[in-house]
Amino acid sequence: MKNDFIMVRTDELSRKWQKAVTRLAPIYARGNDIRSEFERDYTRLLHCQAYRRLKHKTQVFFAPHNDHVCTRMEHVGHVASVAETIARHLGLNTDLTRAIAIGHDIGHAPFGHHGEDILNNLLKPKEGANAPKKFWHERNSLFFADYIETLPDPNGHKRTLNLTYAVRDGLVCHCGEIDQQGVKPREEPIDLYEIKQPGLVQPFTWEGCVVKVSDKIAFLGRDLEDALLYHILDYGSYRELREIVAETLGLTKSGSSYSRRSGKAVNTTVLINDMIVDLCENSNPGEGLFFSESYFRFITELKKFSYANIYNHWRLVEFQKYARNVLETIFNTLMRAQIYVQKGNVELQLLTYPRLGDEFSKWLLHYTNYAERTNQKKPLNFETSAVFDIFDNESYKKCVIEFISGCTDDFAIECFNEIISF
């Protein structure tokens, strides 16, 4: 019910507060700043380049020329909207909720979750399918926030984002793929880099838990709309979808938008609204974030339906083959360049690919010890130390993977076309 969670919100009265607002290093002060710690994190994420690039990264459907198909940035906006609505109603800290939501996908790979799987497989080519993930976007969002993304301080020196623990924790623990009722925060802080798999560790704060659940609400709702726009759902599958709605939600209270007496078409905005309302009405601090049984069953069935009829549709499978070719070609090209990187003349190896060569050279100067092998210097006012070692094979491979993970769909395709063109 409304304001039921005020006593457990993350604020100055919470026993978790001091850890929640802790940063990796002292952050510069602004004499005239009127923002909270979490508002500062929100704007730092909003202004970072990884967030900007989300507008050209696939959510589910690759559609660079269709303004009305959901991009990764739009998805992030949907999650922020859902999460803030829930947090405000329950009495939680909306500043913290908004910051986690806006940054939760800054480490996402190009080409959606399939791009994530491709990069993971490139990192563990000799391991079995059941081996722990080495690349997963939740952890990569934390990694980008801690080591890659920078902003200039008041003196113009570029420094890493240096987010609070609560926001960093929310980034790495936001996985909404896990089907569970009663989501509750863990009690104690941990080393966030000790988390080895997505979805296994609950967030440290209730606000992080809200973002975790909101992620699922947002993508299940909006993906249906895009599937209809692209005619992915034929008449038979759409009828199946309507039957799922009727069978799972038909016994909900009369105020529901989808009672049995209504023969309405499936409206994604109404579904999202009703999932938000149901969660707010059934959650409490003792049991956690809960859906009613009918809505939890609906969400479970909707997820099954989406995988069967949308995510594994033959058109997306064909696109996934293309995406794999694009990313693997870029990876193999940059891995072949390692010997030239170590000699300090990567530009000669990548001369045929000017766009790729230029951007990768900048990446090397920013984030590796490459500058030590050349007459070049690190970019002016760039205050971070080397993240990757070009003389260590595993570190260099990770360097290439992280470079690719930051690419937009369009940039990756441009680089691929450079590589295959003669």
Side-chain angles (χ1 to χ4, degrees):
M1 293 298 178
K2 189 171 179 60
N3 293 327
D4 272 359
F5 286 71
I6 283 182
M7 299 303 294
V8 294
R9 77 195 305 266
T10 306
D11 61 16
E12 292 86 345
L13 299 178
S14 169
R15 69 172 186 83
K16 295 183 175 182
W17 178 253
Q18 288 304 319
K19 182 60 180 179
V21 297
T22 299
R23 299 182 187 273
L24 296 174
I27 193 171
Y28 59 84
R30 292 186 183 274
N32 61 348
D33 204 335
I34 61 174
R35 297 168 297 168
S36 71
E37 291 294 324
F38 301 136
E39 283 180 298
R40 290 192 74 177
D41 284 357
Y42 171 81
T43 52
R44 294 176 77 77
L45 286 159
L46 187 67
H47 288 286
C48 78
Q49 291 186 341
Y51 173 76
R52 299 176 191 177
R53 292 194 296 269
L54 295 180
K55 65 178 176 287
H56 295 302
K57 288 192 176 186
T58 291
Q59 169 63 12
V60 173
F61 301 98
F62 176 69
H65 305 299
N66 190 331
D67 295 334
H68 303 127
V69 170
C70 190
T71 64
R72 183 64 53 179
M73 177 178 278
E74 189 177 347
H75 162 73
V76 165
H78 290 154
V79 174
S81 173
V82 171
E84 190 171 354
T85 299
I86 294 170
R88 182 182 296 108
H89 182 86
L90 297 180
L92 294 170
N93 189 322
T94 54
D95 291 345
L96 173 55
T97 305
R98 187 186 307 115
I100 297 171
I102 204 73
H104 79 274
D105 271 354
I106 62 168
H108 218 294
F111 305 127
H113 285 282
H114 187 64
E116 178 179 1
D117 292 340
I118 295 168
L119 296 187
N120 179 58
N121 290 333
L122 289 171
L123 273 177
K124 60 177 187 67
K126 296 181 181 180
E127 299 182 30
N130 296 324
K133 278 191 170 185
K134 289 190 174 181
F135 182 93
W136 38 292
H137 80 270
E138 295 91 346
R139 187 180 188 278
N140 208 47
S141 291
L142 174 66
F143 182 79
F144 260 62
D146 287 352
Y147 294 102
I148 303 300
E149 288 303 305
T150 62
L151 289 173
D153 65 16
N155 296 316
H157 298 115
K158 290 188 176 182
R159 303 183 187 276
T160 52
L161 299 186
N162 193 17
L163 305 175
T164 59
Y165 180 85
V167 173
R168 296 173 58 243
D169 170 85
L171 303 186
V172 73
C173 295
H174 81 259
C175 178
E177 293 292 315
I178 307 300
D179 296 318
Q180 59 188 158
Q181 286 273 55
V183 177
K184 299 174 68 174
R186 68 178 191 275
E187 289 300 316
E188 300 301 328
I190 58 175
D191 180 348
L192 299 177
Y193 286 98
E194 290 299 314
I195 302 174
K196 302 302 182 184
Q197 287 288 289
L200 296 183
V201 177
Q202 297 290 21
F204 183 57
T205 65
W206 281 104
E207 291 80 4
C209 292
V210 166
V211 174
K212 179 186 178 84
V213 176
S214 300
D215 191 25
K216 179 181 292 185
I217 292 174
F219 79 72
L220 284 176
R222 180 55 200 272
D223 292 352
L224 287 176
E225 186 175 333
D226 284 350
L228 290 168
L229 180 65
Y230 261 109
H231 305 290
I232 294 293
L233 299 181
D234 57 22
Y235 179 77
S237 57
Y238 186 68
R239 183 173 58 186
E240 179 186 348
L241 174 61
R242 291 184 63 178
E243 289 174 354
I244 290 173
V245 173
E247 291 174 6
T248 56
L249 303 184
L251 298 179
T252 58
K253 65 182 185 178
S254 60
S256 169
S257 304
Y258 285 98
S259 60
R260 283 201 186 279
R261 69 175 184 273
S262 73
K264 295 180 181 179
V266 176
N267 184 313
T268 57
T269 59
V270 174
L271 286 176
I272 290 173
N273 172 78
D274 286 358
M275 284 189 277
I276 292 172
V277 171
D278 185 82
L279 182 77
C280 289
E281 291 182 342
N282 288 278
S283 299
N284 63 79
E287 297 177 293
L289 300 178
F290 256 91
F291 292 99
S292 65
E293 286 305 314
S294 58
Y295 266 90
F296 184 68
R297 183 179 166 222
F298 165 69
I299 290 170
T300 302
E301 293 300 318
L302 177 57
K303 186 176 177 181
K304 291 179 183 177
F305 171 87
S306 295
Y307 273 95
N309 295 281
I310 300 176
Y311 307 138
N312 292 319
H313 190 274
W314 70 267
R315 290 173 65 188
L316 268 72
V317 171
E318 291 301 318
F319 169 70
Q320 290 166 3
K321 295 176 184 177
Y322 173 68
R324 179 175 298 279
N325 195 16
V326 169
L327 298 187
E328 288 183 350
T329 299
I330 296 172
F331 174 80
N332 292 332
T333 300
L334 296 181
M335 288 302 297
R336 292 189 189 99
Q338 183 179 8
I339 184 68
Y340 298 91
V341 172
Q342 293 173 342
K343 292 179 179 179
N345 57 4
V346 67
E347 293 85 357
L348 295 179
Q349 170 67 3
L350 299 179
L351 188 64
T352 313
Y353 327 120
R355 186 86 164 95
L356 175 61
D358 181 59
E359 293 300 324
F360 188 62
S361 296
K362 291 176 183 176
W363 177 268
L364 292 172
L365 286 172
H366 277 85
Y367 301 111
T368 76
N369 50 351
Y370 177 70
E372 299 172 9
R373 302 292 299 175
T374 69
N375 294 324
Q376 302 179 69
K377 296 181 180 180
K378 275 189 174 292
L380 185 65
N381 295 331
F382 197 84
E383 298 294 317
T384 61
S385 57
V387 180
F388 308 105
D389 181 1
I390 61 175
F391 297 99
D392 180 273
N393 290 339
E394 285 303 308
S395 184
Y396 180 78
K397 180 190 286 187
K398 186 75 162 59
C399 169
V400 172
I401 291 291
E402 294 300 341
F403 172 78
I404 296 173
S405 78
C407 295
T408 63
D409 299 3
D410 291 344
F411 177 74
I413 291 171
E414 182 182 350
C415 292
F416 172 71
N417 289 335
E418 273 191 338
I419 294 167
I420 65 171
S421 299
F422 294 93

